[in-house]
């Protein structure tokens, strides 16, 4: 009787843990949400927030924090790579421990989302640790004063850049990476374990689509945040005479991270409520096991202890198809990570658009191309009923088309006309100077550390109004409507008889005023912007078209009991070989294309002028090389793949074999194989057929 009571008690405890809730609080009304659709709903939002923060907000604000804290692209590359560094360190233990039988994947997911929210709060912290941003042209000192004593860095000027800012940003990114680690490993397997095989690709397609929509949301929302002045709580940008079109504008880059921290808290609470498995999961699992048990590949024992982890990894690495799919994912990850971080910078500098406009353009590209490509890839696998070999062929075709479209980076605009750098002054240069000094401004004693570019009436950019030798300034448009600073009597600017006019916001024609220089971005007549956007759309569409098929092929070519660990190993390779070095490599090459560095109190600051031809050449080389590597690795994965039972020593034998089949009188007839009485005739090129043919499905 005691044994019966103990058994009943254990059964009740086990049933209690299968209910939705937190701890002992598991009310009946909450159980209506204990379905795969609700789990997918909250996982989709978690994935969208992760993409919005890491691949959206962070990438949008890269150029802004470079200017705000005086950082180089190499330093911001380290910041962008911090996420992948944490993922690399956490993937193996998280996927191995979280993927064990009885482990609560929703608990790992919920706490991970909370950790990600903590990282977002930390990322916004540097904004509150520095004094309000000081615009160089807010003082009258930015104009030319003849025979002025040579200016120097003022003692009260805060050192806003440096190692401390980079350290905080990197640590925040480490928290982002650690918190997001379970999302696309344990989250994927949690969905796969709780839905039928037929619906798994659809659910995963929706999940990954939302994960791609997240960065698009980040680009659009982040771009809009950048139209708000960074110190809007304490300073009126209109009183400074600057607008989002001004060269010295710093947007409110930190608002999005505060918002994302709140969203992480909202999403983590329901995720923590889900049980470790949903109703019906045991039947699905039993069906998979019973079908897989007949396969020869399923006879090897599962790795259940932590000390057996190296043995499990070696077993996976001996799978050639899995190995080459991983390498293809690494090359694709390198391109996606690098361009996600620095493509906004490329658009800003190549086509002379503001940071907010560049972010909006990328957001408009990412929504249809990234989201549509991801969903379309999953749909094609299901609609065409592709086998493993066919799925890899689809990846090859998509990658080949994407490689052709990478030649969009050939499109390059002429360098910005920068006085003393790309175009000469209207007077001889001072011998031995850095090119910014000429006879026309040599008597102004212009401070090198005061970078406040102005656009001259001659269409050239000048390092500052002082370098343009302007002696008069006037602030127009004071107040909330924004405004500009107009300069007159500029000795270095060659002007025509008719000067350009500035119209104050909301003003009539009578309020127009002429100027020789203005603190805004010079317009450009480069016609390639929209062509570049269209071709970039095609590259992104074809790139994301291959993501879901590649994931499906990876899941199908490994044993059932190693799927979580296989995804972890794959993401480790992607991080180590692709996404971790990518921002560093991209940042190094972008820094190499810099033509002029800003000086910041004895130290070099951010780059203020790039050589567009060099930047375009480097980006084309990276994109084309990455796509050709992906094409090679996908081709090798297809070449080495052998269907189960083919007799090849290189055969990739999953735990279950999947064919497209129809059930006839309780048996499953495949296109080239038959499942009858528990025996599978493995003469076809399809993998994992038994699950599609199970009576449960």
């Amino acid at each position: 009787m005691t044994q019966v009571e103990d058994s009943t008690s254990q059964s009740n405890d086990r049933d209690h843990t299968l209910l939705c809730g937190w701890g002992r609080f598991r009310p009946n009304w909450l159980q209506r949400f204990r379905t795969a659709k609700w789990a997918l709903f909250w996982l989709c939002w978690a994935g969208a927030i992760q993409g919005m923060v890491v691949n959206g907000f962070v990438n949008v604000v890269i150029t802004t924090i470079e200017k705000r804290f005086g950082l180089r692209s190499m330093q911001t590359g380290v910041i962008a790579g911090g996420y992948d560094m944490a993922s690399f360190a956490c993937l193996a233990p998280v996927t191995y421990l979280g993927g064990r039988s009885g482990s609560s994947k929703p608990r790992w997911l919920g706490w991970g989302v909370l950790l990600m929210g903590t990282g977002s709060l930390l990322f916004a912290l540097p904004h509150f640790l520095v004094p309000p941003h000081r615009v160089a042209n807010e003082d009258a000192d930015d104009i030319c004063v003849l025979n002025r004593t040579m200016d120097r860095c003022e003692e009260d000027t805060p050192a806003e850049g440096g190692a401390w800012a980079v350290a905080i940003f990197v640590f925040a990114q480490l928290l982002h990476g650690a918190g997001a680690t379970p999302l696309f490993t344990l989250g994927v397997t949690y969905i796969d374990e709780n839905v039928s095989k037929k619906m798994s690709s659809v659910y995963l397609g929706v999940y990954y689509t939302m994960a791609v929509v997240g960065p698009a949301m980040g680009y659009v929302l982040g771009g809009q945040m950048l139209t708000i002045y960074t110190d809007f709580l304490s300073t009126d940008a209109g009183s400074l005479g600057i607008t989002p079109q001004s060269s010295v504008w710093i947007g409110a880059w930190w608002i999005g991270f505060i918002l994302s921290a709140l969203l992480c808290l909202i999403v983590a609470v329901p995720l923590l409520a889900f049980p470790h498995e949903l109703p019906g999961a045991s039947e699905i699992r039993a069906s998979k096991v019973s079908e897989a048990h007949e396969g020869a590949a399923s006879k090897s024992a599962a790795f259940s202890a932590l000390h057996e982890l190296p043995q499990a990894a070696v077993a996976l690495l001996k799978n050639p198809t899995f190995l080459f799919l991983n390498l293809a994912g690494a090359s694709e990850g390198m391109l996606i990570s690098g361009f996600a971080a620095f493509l906004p910078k490329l658009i800003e500098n190549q086509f002379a658009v503001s940071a907010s406009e560049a972010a909006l353009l990328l957001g408009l590209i990412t929504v249809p191309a990234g989201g549509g490509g991801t969903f379309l890839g999953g749909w094609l696998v299901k609609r065409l009923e592709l086998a493993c070999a066919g799925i890899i062929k689809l990846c090859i075709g998509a990658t080949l088309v994407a490689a052709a479209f990478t030649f969009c980076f050939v499109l390059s605009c002429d360098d910005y006309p920068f006085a003393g750098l790309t175009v000469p002054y209207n007077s001889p240069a001072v011998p031995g100077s850095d090119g910014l000094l000429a006879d026309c401004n040599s008597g102004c004693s212009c401070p090198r550390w005061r970078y406040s570019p102005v656009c001259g009436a001659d269409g050239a950019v000048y390092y500052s109004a002082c370098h343009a030798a302007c002696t008069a300034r006037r602030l127009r448009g004071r107040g909330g409507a924004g405004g500009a600073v107009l300069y007159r009597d500029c000795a270095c600017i060659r002007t025509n008889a008719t000067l350009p006019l500035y119209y104050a916001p909301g003003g009539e024609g009578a309020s127009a005023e002429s100027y020789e220089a203005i603190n805004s971005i010079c317009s450009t007549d480069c016609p390639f912007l929209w062509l570049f956007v269209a071709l970039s759309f095609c590259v992104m569409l074809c790139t994301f078209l291959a993501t879901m098929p590649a994931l499906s092929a990876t899941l199908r070519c490994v044993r059932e009991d190693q799927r979580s660990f296989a995804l972890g190993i794959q993401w480790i390779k992607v991080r180590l070989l692709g996404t971790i070095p990518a921002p560093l490599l991209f940042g190094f090459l972008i820094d190499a294309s810099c033509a002029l560095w800003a000086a910041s109190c004895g130290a070099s600051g951010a780059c203020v002028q790039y050589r567009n031809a060099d930047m375009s050449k480097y980006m084309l080389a990276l994109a084309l090389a990455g796509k050709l590597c992906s094409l090679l690795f996908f081709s090798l994965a297809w070449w080495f793949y052998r269907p189960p039972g083919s007799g090849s020593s290189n055969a990739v034998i999953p735990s279950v074999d999947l064919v497209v089949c129809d059930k006839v009188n309780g048996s499953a007839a495949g296109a080239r194989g038959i499942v009858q009485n528990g025996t599978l005739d493995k003469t076809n090129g399809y993998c994992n057929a038994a699950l599609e043919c199970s009576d449960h499905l």
Side-chain angles (χ1 to χ4, degrees):
M1 186 66 179
T2 302
Q3 294 179 351
V4 174
E5 291 177 353
D6 291 342
S7 176
T8 303
S9 176
Q10 293 176 1
S11 176
N12 291 335
D13 291 340
R14 184 170 60 252
D15 293 341
H16 184 74
T17 60
L18 294 179
L19 300 178
C20 270
W22 305 270
R24 291 292 178 180
F25 180 71
R26 300 178 186 270
N28 292 330
W29 60 267
L30 198 59
Q31 307 316 310
R32 72 184 68 179
F33 302 106
R34 192 180 49 157
T35 64
K37 291 182 179 179
W38 276 107
L40 176 66
F41 175 82
W42 291 112
L43 280 174
C44 282
W45 278 111
I49 294 171
Q50 180 270 343
M52 181 178 68
V53 176
V54 177
N55 300 316
F57 289 155
V58 172
N59 297 333
V60 164
V61 304
I62 284 291
T63 55
T64 301
I65 63 175
E66 280 184 10
K67 292 192 295 183
R68 181 68 174 95
F69 299 97
L71 306 178
R72 294 193 172 207
S73 295
M74 191 71 173
Q75 291 174 299
T76 53
V78 173
I79 294 171
Y83 170 84
D84 297 301
M85 295 176 191
S87 294
F88 170 71
C90 297
L91 268 170
V94 168
T95 55
Y96 193 81
L97 298 176
R100 292 186 302 178
S101 177
S103 177
S104 177
K105 294 181 177 66
R107 187 173 301 170
W108 285 86
L109 292 164
W111 285 111
V113 172
L114 284 177
L115 189 61
M116 192 166 58
T118 304
S120 294
L121 281 178
L122 187 62
F123 202 98
L125 182 61
H127 169 76
F128 303 97
L129 297 181
V130 295
H133 177 57
R134 181 180 178 184
V135 180
N137 61 15
E138 64 181 290
D139 302 322
D141 295 338
D142 67 325
I143 61 176
C144 176
V145 178
L146 296 178
N147 301 321
R148 175 174 53 184
T149 303
M150 180 61 72
D151 201 354
R152 59 182 176 83
C153 283
E154 300 175 3
E155 295 180 357
D156 61 346
T157 300
E160 295 179 347
W164 72 268
V166 175
I168 293 178
F169 287 133
V170 169
F171 187 62
Q173 282 285 78
L174 292 176
L175 294 182
H176 282 153
T181 298
L183 286 178
F184 298 104
T185 52
L186 300 183
V188 170
T189 53
Y190 187 69
I191 293 174
D192 188 64
E193 291 169 356
N194 289 281
V195 298
S196 66
K197 194 65 183 179
K198 283 186 176 180
M199 294 304 299
S200 177
S201 61
V202 177
Y203 272 61
L204 291 178
V206 174
Y207 183 36
Y208 275 83
T209 298
M210 282 298 293
V212 175
V213 171
M217 295 167 54
Y219 278 117
V220 175
L221 293 178
Q224 293 304 306
M225 299 299 180
L226 293 181
T227 61
I228 305 172
Y229 187 58
T230 184
D231 295 313
F232 70 95
L233 296 176
S234 59
T235 305
D236 178 18
S239 64
L240 302 177
I242 58 175
T243 65
Q245 284 69 44
S246 302
S247 302
V248 294
W249 177 270
I250 301 294
W253 58 272
W254 51 274
I255 297 180
F257 296 97
I258 303 294
L259 174 64
S260 63
L262 296 176
L263 292 177
C264 285
L265 178 61
I266 295 174
V267 172
V269 173
L271 277 178
L272 289 169
F274 280 94
H276 68 88
E277 66 178 26
L278 299 175
S282 57
E283 289 82 0
I284 295 176
R285 184 169 59 253
S287 172
K288 292 181 180 179
V289 171
S290 62
E291 296 288 355
H293 183 70
E294 300 296 330
S298 64
K299 296 179 181 179
S300 58
F303 300 96
S304 58
L306 190 59
H307 65 84
E308 296 176 350
L309 189 147
Q311 185 180 357
V314 170
L316 286 174
L317 294 179
K318 289 181 179 179
N319 185 330
T321 299
F322 176 74
L323 175 65
F324 287 118
L325 286 175
N326 291 175
L327 294 177
S331 59
E332 290 290 283
M334 182 190 72
L335 296 181
I336 293 175
S337 177
F339 281 112
F342 292 106
L343 191 57
K345 175 186 280 290
L346 184 143
I347 293 178
E348 288 179 45
N349 291 278
Q350 285 282 0
F351 306 107
V353 299
S354 65
S356 59
E357 292 172 340
L360 181 60
L361 284 174
L362 285 179
L364 295 177
I365 295 174
T366 305
V367 171
T374 302
F375 187 80
L376 181 61
W379 180 81
L380 285 175
V381 171
K382 181 177 184 295
R383 180 66 178 84
L384 301 179
E385 299 178 339
L386 295 176
C388 290
I391 291 173
I392 301 175
K393 286 181 181 179
L394 176 62
C395 295
I396 294 174
T399 305
L400 182 62
V401 176
F405 281 115
T406 56
F407 284 95
C408 65
F409 293 103
V410 171
L411 301 174
S412 177
C413 300
D414 294 334
D415 288 337
Y416 232 114
F418 201 107
L421 189 64
T422 60
V423 295
Y425 279 98
N426 61 3
S427 62
V430 174
S433 67
D434 56 1
L436 297 178
L437 293 181
D439 289 346
C440 59
N441 62 17
S442 59
C444 300
S445 301
C446 300
R448 180 73 163 79
W449 62 273
R450 280 184 176 271
Y451 175 67
S452 179
V454 296
C455 179
D458 56 357
V461 178
Y462 294 83
Y463 193 87
S464 68
C466 180
H467 285 82
C470 301
T471 58
R473 70 192 295 272
R474 177 178 172 81
L475 180 62
R476 292 297 310 272
R478 298 179 70 97
V485 181
L486 309 181
Y487 298 92
R488 298 291 301 269
D489 303 328
C490 304
C492 292
I493 298 178
R494 184 183 293 108
T495 59
N496 298 321
T498 303
L499 293 175
L501 299 177
Y502 171 78
Y503 296 90
E508 301 296 334
S511 64
E513 183 175 348
S514 62
Y515 62 89
E516 294 183 20
I518 187 172
N519 66 331
S520 64
I521 301 174
C522 288
S523 60
T524 178
D525 56 357
C526 182
F528 300 135
L529 174 60
W530 290 107
L531 178 59
F532 179 83
V533 168
L535 294 177
S536 298
F537 172 87
C538 296
V539 173
M540 189 175 298
L541 178 68
C542 295
T543 297
F544 282 96
L545 180 63
T547 55
M548 272 307 302
L551 174 65
S552 181
T554 301
L555 289 174
R556 294 188 184 194
C557 73
V558 298
R559 295 203 317 269
E560 185 77 24
D561 61 333
Q562 285 191 323
R563 286 188 174 182
S564 292
F565 188 53
L567 287 180
I569 292 295
Q570 182 185 45
W571 279 107
I572 286 177
K573 293 180 183 178
V574 170
R575 297 290 195 269
L576 184 62
L577 302 178
T579 58
I580 288 179
L584 303 178
L585 177 60
F586 276 71
F588 172 78
L589 293 179
I590 288 178
D591 281 343
S593 64
C594 181
L596 180 64
W597 296 94
S600 178
C601 293
S604 61
C607 183
V608 299
Q609 180 69 18
Y610 291 93
R611 292 182 292 270
N612 286 345
D614 288 349
M615 183 184 291
S616 178
K617 177 176 62 178
Y618 293 146
M619 295 302 103
L620 173 62
L622 286 172
L624 190 57
K627 285 299 179 183
L628 291 179
C629 287
S630 298
L631 188 62
L632 173 64
F633 293 137
F634 277 130
S635 300
L636 290 174
W638 171 77
W639 177 264
F640 280 100
Y641 172 74
R642 296 294 182 270
S646 63
S648 170
S649 60
N650 289 332
V652 178
I653 308 178
S655 60
V656 274
D657 303 306
L658 208 56
V659 302
V660 179
C661 52
D662 297 317
K663 294 181 183 177
V664 182
N665 298 325
S667 66
R672 296 185 183 178
I674 305 294
V675 179
Q676 292 179 334
N677 301 323
T679 303
L680 176 64
D681 178 19
K682 298 176 182 176
T683 60
N684 61 79
Y686 297 82
C687 62
N688 290 355
L691 285 182
E692 286 288 346
C693 310
S694 69
D695 291 330
H696 175 77
L697 295 176

